[in-house]
Short mmCIF file of all heavy atoms in Angstrom, two decimals:
data_model
loop_
_atom_site.label_atom_id
_atom_site.label_comp_id
_atom_site.label_asym_id
_atom_site.label_seq_id
_atom_site.Cartn_x
_atom_site.Cartn_y
_atom_site.Cartn_z
N VAL A 239 -12.08 31.77 7.43
CA VAL A 239 -12.08 31.12 6.23
C VAL A 239 -10.45 30.93 5.91
O VAL A 239 -9.79 31.90 5.84
CB VAL A 239 -12.70 31.84 5.05
CG1 VAL A 239 -12.53 31.07 3.65
CG2 VAL A 239 -14.11 31.94 5.23
N THR A 240 -10.13 29.65 5.80
CA THR A 240 -8.68 29.32 5.65
C THR A 240 -8.27 28.68 4.32
O THR A 240 -9.13 27.89 3.91
CB THR A 240 -8.24 28.54 6.84
OG1 THR A 240 -9.21 27.48 7.14
CG2 THR A 240 -7.97 29.33 8.16
N PRO A 241 -7.08 28.77 3.94
CA PRO A 241 -6.56 28.21 2.62
C PRO A 241 -5.93 26.89 2.90
O PRO A 241 -5.88 26.32 4.07
CB PRO A 241 -5.68 29.14 2.02
CG PRO A 241 -5.09 29.81 3.23
CD PRO A 241 -6.04 29.77 4.46
N TRP A 242 -5.45 26.20 1.86
CA TRP A 242 -4.85 25.00 1.94
C TRP A 242 -3.40 24.91 2.33
O TRP A 242 -2.83 23.93 2.62
CB TRP A 242 -5.08 24.08 0.68
CG TRP A 242 -4.66 24.99 -0.60
CD1 TRP A 242 -5.52 25.73 -1.38
CD2 TRP A 242 -3.33 25.15 -1.17
NE1 TRP A 242 -4.83 26.41 -2.30
CE2 TRP A 242 -3.53 26.13 -2.22
CE3 TRP A 242 -2.15 24.69 -0.87
CZ2 TRP A 242 -2.46 26.58 -3.02
CZ3 TRP A 242 -1.02 25.06 -1.62
CH2 TRP A 242 -1.22 26.01 -2.72
N ASN A 243 -2.76 26.07 2.04
CA ASN A 243 -1.26 25.95 2.09
C ASN A 243 -0.62 25.83 3.61
O ASN A 243 0.29 25.11 3.73
CB ASN A 243 -0.71 27.17 1.38
CG ASN A 243 -0.96 28.54 2.09
OD1 ASN A 243 -2.00 28.66 2.68
ND2 ASN A 243 -0.05 29.48 1.94
N TYR A 244 -1.18 26.58 4.56
CA TYR A 244 -0.77 26.52 5.93
C TYR A 244 -1.97 26.33 6.79
O TYR A 244 -2.25 27.24 7.62
CB TYR A 244 0.14 27.75 6.38
CG TYR A 244 1.59 27.50 6.09
CD1 TYR A 244 2.00 27.27 4.83
CD2 TYR A 244 2.39 27.49 7.12
CE1 TYR A 244 3.33 26.97 4.54
CE2 TYR A 244 3.86 27.23 6.78
CZ TYR A 244 4.24 27.01 5.52
OH TYR A 244 5.62 26.74 5.31
N LEU A 248 -2.24 28.97 10.00
CA LEU A 248 -3.12 30.20 9.66
C LEU A 248 -4.34 30.07 10.29
O LEU A 248 -4.94 31.08 10.89
CB LEU A 248 -3.23 30.19 8.20
CG LEU A 248 -2.00 30.40 7.38
CD1 LEU A 248 -2.15 30.39 5.88
CD2 LEU A 248 -1.27 31.79 7.77
N LYS A 266 -14.59 27.76 7.98
CA LYS A 266 -14.69 27.04 6.68
C LYS A 266 -13.27 26.64 6.36
O LYS A 266 -12.42 27.56 6.03
CB LYS A 266 -15.38 27.83 5.62
CG LYS A 266 -15.73 26.90 4.46
CD LYS A 266 -15.64 27.54 3.13
CE LYS A 266 -14.36 27.67 2.32
NZ LYS A 266 -13.79 26.31 1.76
N ILE A 267 -13.06 25.34 6.22
CA ILE A 267 -11.72 24.92 5.87
C ILE A 267 -11.67 24.55 4.40
O ILE A 267 -12.69 24.35 3.78
CB ILE A 267 -11.30 23.64 6.61
CG1 ILE A 267 -12.44 22.60 6.74
CG2 ILE A 267 -10.72 24.01 8.06
CD1 ILE A 267 -12.05 21.35 7.46
N ASP A 268 -10.49 24.58 3.89
CA ASP A 268 -10.30 24.24 2.51
C ASP A 268 -10.22 22.68 2.47
O ASP A 268 -9.71 22.05 3.41
CB ASP A 268 -8.96 24.77 1.95
CG ASP A 268 -8.85 24.72 0.39
OD1 ASP A 268 -8.62 23.62 -0.09
OD2 ASP A 268 -9.10 25.76 -0.23
N ASN A 269 -10.81 22.12 1.42
CA ASN A 269 -10.75 20.61 1.38
C ASN A 269 -9.42 20.00 1.45
O ASN A 269 -9.29 19.03 2.15
CB ASN A 269 -11.39 20.19 0.02
CG ASN A 269 -12.98 20.50 -0.11
OD1 ASN A 269 -13.58 20.79 0.96
ND2 ASN A 269 -13.37 20.50 -1.22
N GLY A 297 -16.65 23.01 2.26
CA GLY A 297 -17.53 23.12 1.00
C GLY A 297 -17.14 24.33 0.13
O GLY A 297 -16.11 24.96 0.37
N PRO A 298 -17.90 24.45 -1.04
CA PRO A 298 -17.47 25.49 -2.06
C PRO A 298 -17.32 26.88 -1.34
O PRO A 298 -18.23 27.31 -0.62
CB PRO A 298 -18.53 25.39 -3.04
CG PRO A 298 -19.27 24.12 -2.87
CD PRO A 298 -19.11 23.70 -1.40
N GLY A 299 -16.27 27.61 -1.74
CA GLY A 299 -16.15 28.85 -1.18
C GLY A 299 -17.29 29.84 -1.37
O GLY A 299 -17.68 30.63 -0.63
N ASN A 300 -17.71 29.85 -2.68
CA ASN A 300 -18.83 30.84 -3.04
C ASN A 300 -20.17 30.43 -2.55
O ASN A 300 -21.14 31.24 -2.62
CB ASN A 300 -18.88 30.98 -4.56
CG ASN A 300 -19.18 29.62 -5.39
OD1 ASN A 300 -19.32 28.65 -4.67
ND2 ASN A 300 -19.08 29.70 -6.65
N GLN A 301 -20.27 29.28 -1.89
CA GLN A 301 -21.46 29.01 -1.09
C GLN A 301 -21.33 28.90 0.42
O GLN A 301 -21.85 29.88 1.14
CB GLN A 301 -22.00 27.65 -1.53
CG GLN A 301 -22.54 27.57 -2.99
CD GLN A 301 -22.63 26.20 -3.46
OE1 GLN A 301 -22.95 25.32 -2.80
NE2 GLN A 301 -22.43 25.99 -4.76
N VAL A 302 -20.48 28.02 0.97
CA VAL A 302 -20.31 27.86 2.33
C VAL A 302 -19.45 29.05 2.81
O VAL A 302 -19.77 29.67 3.85
CB VAL A 302 -19.53 26.53 2.55
CG1 VAL A 302 -19.21 26.43 4.07
CG2 VAL A 302 -20.52 25.47 2.18
N GLY A 303 -18.43 29.51 2.03
CA GLY A 303 -17.64 30.81 2.42
C GLY A 303 -18.55 31.88 2.62
O GLY A 303 -18.42 32.67 3.62
N ASN A 304 -19.36 32.05 1.46
CA ASN A 304 -20.21 33.29 1.65
C ASN A 304 -21.15 33.16 2.83
O ASN A 304 -21.42 34.14 3.48
CB ASN A 304 -21.03 33.39 0.29
CG ASN A 304 -20.36 33.96 -0.75
OD1 ASN A 304 -19.28 34.63 -0.65
ND2 ASN A 304 -20.83 33.87 -1.97
N VAL A 307 -19.52 34.25 5.96
CA VAL A 307 -19.42 35.83 6.05
C VAL A 307 -20.85 36.39 6.47
O VAL A 307 -20.84 37.34 7.27
CB VAL A 307 -19.05 36.45 4.63
CG1 VAL A 307 -18.93 37.96 4.80
CG2 VAL A 307 -17.71 35.79 4.10
N PHE A 315 -10.34 36.32 6.82
CA PHE A 315 -10.14 35.58 5.62
C PHE A 315 -8.62 35.48 5.26
O PHE A 315 -7.94 36.49 5.32
CB PHE A 315 -10.95 36.21 4.48
CG PHE A 315 -10.54 35.63 3.16
CD1 PHE A 315 -11.28 34.46 2.70
CD2 PHE A 315 -9.56 36.17 2.31
CE1 PHE A 315 -10.90 33.91 1.45
CE2 PHE A 315 -9.32 35.60 1.06
CZ PHE A 315 -9.98 34.41 0.70
N THR A 316 -8.19 34.34 4.90
CA THR A 316 -6.79 34.12 4.40
C THR A 316 -6.89 33.53 2.98
O THR A 316 -7.46 32.37 2.86
CB THR A 316 -5.99 33.28 5.31
OG1 THR A 316 -5.99 33.75 6.61
CG2 THR A 316 -4.51 33.26 4.84
N GLY A 317 -6.45 34.08 2.02
CA GLY A 317 -6.47 33.47 0.67
C GLY A 317 -6.02 34.58 -0.35
O GLY A 317 -5.20 35.42 -0.12
N SER A 318 -6.39 34.41 -1.56
CA SER A 318 -5.95 35.26 -2.59
C SER A 318 -6.58 36.61 -2.63
O SER A 318 -7.67 36.78 -2.01
CB SER A 318 -6.21 34.45 -3.98
OG SER A 318 -7.70 34.46 -4.11
N THR A 319 -5.96 37.59 -3.28
CA THR A 319 -6.36 38.95 -3.32
C THR A 319 -7.70 38.97 -4.04
O THR A 319 -8.60 39.67 -3.51
CB THR A 319 -5.32 39.85 -3.95
OG1 THR A 319 -4.17 39.82 -3.11
CG2 THR A 319 -5.83 41.28 -4.05
N PRO A 320 -7.99 38.30 -5.22
CA PRO A 320 -9.26 38.43 -5.78
C PRO A 320 -10.41 38.05 -4.92
O PRO A 320 -11.40 38.65 -4.75
CB PRO A 320 -9.13 37.62 -7.01
CG PRO A 320 -7.73 37.58 -7.37
CD PRO A 320 -6.97 37.52 -6.00
N THR A 321 -10.18 36.80 -4.21
CA THR A 321 -11.29 36.34 -3.42
C THR A 321 -11.52 37.23 -2.06
O THR A 321 -12.54 37.44 -1.69
CB THR A 321 -10.89 34.81 -2.88
OG1 THR A 321 -10.62 34.15 -4.02
CG2 THR A 321 -12.21 34.20 -2.24
N GLY A 322 -10.36 37.62 -1.55
CA GLY A 322 -10.35 38.54 -0.45
C GLY A 322 -11.07 39.79 -0.77
O GLY A 322 -11.75 40.37 0.13
N LYS A 324 -13.62 40.12 -2.81
CA LYS A 324 -15.09 39.83 -2.67
C LYS A 324 -15.52 39.64 -1.26
O LYS A 324 -16.68 40.07 -0.88
CB LYS A 324 -15.30 38.43 -3.38
CG LYS A 324 -15.31 38.50 -4.86
CD LYS A 324 -15.69 37.10 -5.47
CE LYS A 324 -15.11 36.79 -6.73
NZ LYS A 324 -14.94 35.47 -7.03
N VAL A 325 -14.69 39.01 -0.39
CA VAL A 325 -15.11 38.80 0.99
C VAL A 325 -15.23 40.25 1.70
O VAL A 325 -16.15 40.46 2.44
CB VAL A 325 -14.05 37.95 1.71
CG1 VAL A 325 -14.29 37.89 3.19
CG2 VAL A 325 -14.24 36.48 1.17
N ARG A 328 -18.42 41.91 0.73
CA ARG A 328 -19.54 41.25 1.37
C ARG A 328 -19.70 41.67 2.79
O ARG A 328 -20.69 41.96 3.30
CB ARG A 328 -19.47 39.74 1.18
CG ARG A 328 -20.70 39.08 1.36
CD ARG A 328 -20.66 37.65 0.88
NE ARG A 328 -21.95 36.97 1.01
CZ ARG A 328 -22.81 36.73 0.04
NH1 ARG A 328 -22.39 37.02 -1.17
NH2 ARG A 328 -23.95 36.25 0.28
N LEU A 338 -8.18 40.62 6.29
CA LEU A 338 -7.94 40.07 5.04
C LEU A 338 -6.44 39.75 4.79
O LEU A 338 -5.61 40.70 4.78
CB LEU A 338 -8.52 40.86 3.78
CG LEU A 338 -10.07 41.31 3.98
CD1 LEU A 338 -10.26 42.30 2.91
CD2 LEU A 338 -10.80 40.09 3.95
N GLU A 339 -6.08 38.59 4.86
CA GLU A 339 -4.64 38.20 4.83
C GLU A 339 -4.40 37.54 3.25
O GLU A 339 -4.82 36.58 3.00
CB GLU A 339 -4.24 37.14 5.82
CG GLU A 339 -4.44 37.52 7.17
CD GLU A 339 -3.44 38.74 7.63
OE1 GLU A 339 -2.39 38.74 7.01
OE2 GLU A 339 -3.69 39.31 8.70
N LEU A 340 -3.82 38.43 2.39
CA LEU A 340 -3.91 38.06 0.97
C LEU A 340 -2.56 37.81 0.41
O LEU A 340 -1.62 37.42 1.03
CB LEU A 340 -4.72 39.20 0.28
CG LEU A 340 -6.03 39.52 0.97
CD1 LEU A 340 -6.65 40.74 0.22
CD2 LEU A 340 -6.97 38.46 1.05
N GLY A 341 -2.48 37.94 -0.93
CA GLY A 341 -1.20 37.53 -1.70
C GLY A 341 -0.12 38.45 -1.52
O GLY A 341 -0.17 39.62 -0.87
N GLY A 342 1.09 38.09 -2.08
CA GLY A 342 2.21 38.88 -1.97
C GLY A 342 3.05 38.70 -3.19
O GLY A 342 2.85 37.70 -4.00
N GLN A 371 4.83 27.98 -1.78
CA GLN A 371 3.47 28.08 -1.55
C GLN A 371 3.12 28.68 -0.21
O GLN A 371 2.44 28.03 0.53
CB GLN A 371 2.77 26.72 -1.75
CG GLN A 371 2.98 26.11 -3.14
CD GLN A 371 2.54 24.78 -3.31
OE1 GLN A 371 1.66 24.41 -4.04
NE2 GLN A 371 3.01 23.93 -2.39
N LEU A 372 3.69 29.80 0.03
CA LEU A 372 3.61 30.46 1.42
C LEU A 372 3.41 31.91 1.02
O LEU A 372 4.22 32.54 0.36
CB LEU A 372 4.82 30.16 2.24
CG LEU A 372 5.05 30.93 3.43
CD1 LEU A 372 3.86 30.62 4.46
CD2 LEU A 372 6.39 30.46 4.09
N CYS A 373 2.43 32.58 1.66
CA CYS A 373 2.21 33.93 1.33
C CYS A 373 3.43 34.82 1.51
O CYS A 373 3.53 35.81 0.82
CB CYS A 373 1.03 34.43 2.17
SG CYS A 373 1.23 34.12 3.90
N VAL A 374 4.28 34.52 2.52
CA VAL A 374 5.37 35.50 2.88
C VAL A 374 6.73 35.10 2.10
O VAL A 374 7.73 35.56 2.38
CB VAL A 374 5.66 35.59 4.34
CG1 VAL A 374 4.53 36.39 5.01
CG2 VAL A 374 5.68 34.16 5.06
N GLN A 420 -1.60 24.02 -9.34
CA GLN A 420 -0.31 24.66 -8.89
C GLN A 420 0.76 24.49 -9.88
O GLN A 420 1.52 25.32 -10.26
CB GLN A 420 0.07 24.28 -7.43
CG GLN A 420 -0.81 25.02 -6.37
CD GLN A 420 -0.44 26.51 -6.28
OE1 GLN A 420 -1.33 27.29 -6.79
NE2 GLN A 420 0.75 26.91 -5.88
N GLU A 471 1.78 37.19 -8.62
CA GLU A 471 2.32 36.19 -7.67
C GLU A 471 2.22 34.85 -8.28
O GLU A 471 1.22 34.43 -8.88
CB GLU A 471 1.32 36.19 -6.47
CG GLU A 471 1.62 35.18 -5.35
CD GLU A 471 0.61 35.19 -4.21
OE1 GLU A 471 -0.67 35.19 -4.53
OE2 GLU A 471 0.90 35.03 -2.98
N PHE A 473 3.10 32.14 -6.51
CA PHE A 473 2.74 31.20 -5.42
C PHE A 473 3.36 29.79 -5.71
O PHE A 473 2.68 28.73 -5.50
CB PHE A 473 1.21 31.11 -5.22
CG PHE A 473 0.79 30.76 -3.85
CD1 PHE A 473 1.19 31.62 -2.73
CD2 PHE A 473 0.04 29.70 -3.46
CE1 PHE A 473 0.87 31.44 -1.44
CE2 PHE A 473 -0.29 29.41 -2.15
CZ PHE A 473 0.08 30.27 -1.08
N LEU A 499 3.17 42.60 1.41
CA LEU A 499 3.11 41.68 2.54
C LEU A 499 4.35 41.60 3.31
O LEU A 499 4.39 42.01 4.48
CB LEU A 499 2.61 40.29 1.94
CG LEU A 499 2.28 39.27 3.04
CD1 LEU A 499 1.00 39.89 3.88
CD2 LEU A 499 1.80 37.98 2.42
N PHE A 533 7.48 36.04 11.15
CA PHE A 533 6.41 35.10 11.26
C PHE A 533 6.26 34.56 12.64
O PHE A 533 5.16 34.25 13.11
CB PHE A 533 6.54 34.10 10.15
CG PHE A 533 5.47 33.18 9.88
CD1 PHE A 533 4.23 33.70 9.34
CD2 PHE A 533 5.35 31.93 10.18
CE1 PHE A 533 3.08 33.02 9.03
CE2 PHE A 533 4.26 31.04 10.03
CZ PHE A 533 3.19 31.61 9.38
N MET A 540 1.08 41.02 12.13
CA MET A 540 1.39 40.50 10.87
C MET A 540 0.19 40.84 9.94
O MET A 540 -1.02 40.59 10.31
CB MET A 540 1.60 39.00 10.81
CG MET A 540 1.80 38.38 9.56
SD MET A 540 1.69 36.65 9.43
CE MET A 540 1.61 36.35 7.68
N GLY A 541 0.58 41.27 8.77
CA GLY A 541 -0.41 41.70 7.82
C GLY A 541 0.14 42.34 6.61
O GLY A 541 1.30 42.56 6.54
N GLY A 542 -0.72 42.72 5.70
CA GLY A 542 -0.20 43.32 4.44
C GLY A 542 -0.45 44.81 4.21
O GLY A 542 -1.62 45.34 4.72
N SER A 546 -2.23 43.55 -0.32
CA SER A 546 -1.87 42.30 0.44
C SER A 546 -2.75 42.14 1.57
O SER A 546 -2.66 41.17 2.41
CB SER A 546 -0.44 42.26 0.86
OG SER A 546 0.42 42.02 -0.21
N ARG A 551 -3.13 40.23 12.16
CA ARG A 551 -3.26 39.27 13.09
C ARG A 551 -1.90 39.24 14.02
O ARG A 551 -1.03 39.95 13.55
CB ARG A 551 -3.45 37.96 12.42
CG ARG A 551 -2.50 37.64 11.26
CD ARG A 551 -2.42 36.19 10.85
NE ARG A 551 -3.59 35.55 10.41
CZ ARG A 551 -3.75 35.03 9.27
NH1 ARG A 551 -2.69 34.90 8.34
NH2 ARG A 551 -4.91 34.34 8.84
P1 NAD B 213 -8.43 31.30 -2.51
O1 NAD B 213 -8.74 32.73 -2.26
O2 NAD B 213 -8.71 30.57 -3.73
O3 NAD B 213 -9.19 30.46 -1.32
C1 NAD B 213 -8.92 30.63 0.10
C2 NAD B 213 -10.19 30.17 0.78
O4 NAD B 213 -11.32 30.93 0.57
C3 NAD B 213 -10.55 28.68 0.50
O5 NAD B 213 -10.96 28.07 1.70
C4 NAD B 213 -11.78 28.81 -0.41
O6 NAD B 213 -12.67 27.72 -0.45
C5 NAD B 213 -12.42 30.11 0.00
N1 NAD B 213 -13.23 30.91 -0.72
C6 NAD B 213 -13.29 30.88 -2.09
N2 NAD B 213 -14.18 31.83 -2.63
C7 NAD B 213 -14.78 32.29 -1.49
C8 NAD B 213 -15.75 33.29 -1.33
N3 NAD B 213 -16.39 33.85 -2.29
N4 NAD B 213 -16.12 33.65 -0.09
C9 NAD B 213 -15.55 33.08 0.99
N5 NAD B 213 -14.49 32.13 0.91
C10 NAD B 213 -14.20 31.71 -0.35
O7 NAD B 213 -6.92 31.07 -2.15
P2 NAD B 213 -5.88 29.84 -2.32
O8 NAD B 213 -5.59 29.66 -3.60
O9 NAD B 213 -6.60 28.65 -1.48
O10 NAD B 213 -4.69 30.33 -1.42
C11 NAD B 213 -3.61 30.90 -1.93
C12 NAD B 213 -3.54 32.40 -1.80
O11 NAD B 213 -3.68 32.75 -0.43
C13 NAD B 213 -2.31 33.08 -2.35
O12 NAD B 213 -2.57 34.21 -2.98
C14 NAD B 213 -1.58 33.36 -1.00
O13 NAD B 213 -0.58 34.50 -1.15
C15 NAD B 213 -2.71 33.68 -0.07
N6 NAD B 213 -2.28 33.47 1.32
C16 NAD B 213 -2.05 34.62 2.08
C17 NAD B 213 -1.72 34.51 3.38
C18 NAD B 213 -1.50 35.72 4.27
O14 NAD B 213 -1.35 35.53 5.53
N7 NAD B 213 -1.41 36.93 3.76
C19 NAD B 213 -1.54 33.29 3.95
C20 NAD B 213 -1.67 32.21 3.06
C21 NAD B 213 -2.10 32.27 1.77
#
Side-chain angles (χ1 to χ4, degrees):
V239 176
T240 42
W242 46 267
N243 64 329
Y244 268 61
L248 299 172
K266 190 211 93 65
I267 43 177
D268 195 282
N269 293 341
N300 57 7
Q301 295 166 26
V302 176
N304 280 345
V307 180
F315 173 83
T316 308
S318 63
T319 297
T321 312
K324 285 188 209 157
V325 169
R328 202 172 180 100
L338 307 171
E339 301 286 344
L340 310 177
Q371 300 170 122
L372 171 60
C373 52
V374 287
Q420 280 295 104
E471 183 183 38
F473 208 55
L499 189 58
F533 193 68
M540 175 192 170
S546 287
R551 48 162 60 128

